[in-house]
Amino acid sequence: MSRALQQADALFELGRHEQAAALAAEHLAGAPDDATALVLLARCRHRLGDEQQALTTVEHALRVAPESVSAWLLRTHVLLALTEYERAEGSARRAVELAPQLWASHYTLGIALDRGVRRKHKRAAHESARTAVALAPEESDAHVLVGVTAHHTRDYRVAQQAYETALRLDPDNSTAHNNLSLLLLRRRWLRPGSWTRAAEGFVQSAALDRDDRHGRYNLERMAWGTLMGSRWVAFVGSIAVALGSAHLRAGADGADALVTHLTCAAVLVGGWGGWLAWQARRVPPHLRRTLLLVARGCRPVIGMTVPLVLLVVHTAVGLVLWRSALFSAFAIPLFFFVIVTSVAGSTTLQQRAPKQ
């Protein structure tokens, strides 16, 4: 291996893919059929997002060295990025044929089968992942793939065990943190503390891999879900005050009027006080700042906050301006404003979801 190629390989490992690509291209100018250099250049282009050029380069490498396992594995990942799942599967199967005892071959085949659209391949993907684990039980990524494929076939117990094993082997595996948190989030109503553990996992996943959007997106979803919960508290308070105001305008006075005011105030204070106490309990202090920063950077959450605040303010002021039927009537458009904004925000949030 030439000095330039060694430097390119070192730069690639450091994540300096543009510089590594430049050195690999420089080496190939003098040795255009060096399969090792072609695969390295293709890797760089794949990491830089230039999938078509990566595919052209790796296929050149395969014409030079048709039995290069690393080239077949890379070709699989490039084709997956291009969503050409059938070609990716064929490429992965060729790698397995050439290196049946290499865990990475079965791991890559498992990914290709799992990403495909055919449901019958999901079980086969799980078997490939288990073969990868059998060949390399110390590889955390292989355990993560077992978890992913079990997750997709709804075998949640196996999925959780696989993610936990991956984290024992590599506590810094961001994908394992993220996927385990997704499982915990599913059980948030059945197991106390699951929501908090899920939030901690998403925070850790986002911190470990700043280029991976999944952890941050899942935190945005949690912030959105919290806001949607507060929406019901706002609706109940608004309805209570609207009914109370109508009762007062109908002629209630004396003790009856006092009871009406106190009841409406109790609904507002009890509803929001209970909701805030619940949030304070399930969101520990060390997570609050992170969740707040995520919420501030998420447009759907900010957009949903505006109509909710308007509805809450209108409800609170309605206790004082109960005589004004016109002011009370503003609750109806605000009510529908919240509903429309929640639907639009949910759609926008789904569009922000990172690619798998």
Side-chain angles (χ1 to χ4, degrees), residues 76 91 99 107 121 159 199 204 208 220 224 229 271 297 304-305 345:
T76 303
S91 187
Y107 172 80
H121 282 178
Q204 196 157 2
L208 288 169
E220 291 175 349
W224 175 262
M304 188 66 220
T305 302

Side-chain angles (χ1 to χ4, degrees), residues 73 76-77 80 85 88-96 102-133 135 141-142 144-150 152-153:
L73 294 176
T76 303
H77 290 290
L80 287 172
Y85 299 120
E89 181 188 332
S91 187
R93 290 191 183 280
R94 179 57 179 155
V96 171
L102 181 66
W103 79 273
S105 300
H106 296 277
Y107 172 80
T108 305
L109 177 59
I111 292 175
L113 291 169
D114 186 65
R115 296 270 185 90
V117 295
R118 298 179 185 177
R119 287 187 173 274
K120 64 181 181 180
H121 282 178
K122 301 300 181 182
R123 289 289 178 188
H126 185 64
E127 292 306 315
S128 292
R130 291 178 67 86
T131 302
V133 165
L135 291 170
D141 285 343
V144 169
L145 185 59
V146 169
V148 169
T149 53
H152 289 168
T153 56

Side-chain angles (χ1 to χ4, degrees), residues 189 224-242 263-279 282 304 307-316 335 338-339:
W189 303 115
W224 175 262
T226 300
L227 203 58
M228 288 298 95
S230 71
R231 175 186 57 172
W232 298 112
V233 182
F235 283 166
V236 170
S238 179
I239 292 170
V241 171
T263 301
C264 291
V267 170
L268 289 180
V269 174
W272 285 109
W275 184 82
L276 290 172
W278 180 41
Q279 295 306 316
R282 73 171 181 167
M304 188 66 220
L308 269 177
V309 169
L310 289 175
L311 183 61
V312 172
V313 170
H314 177 274
T315 302
F335 190 91
V338 170
I339 293 175

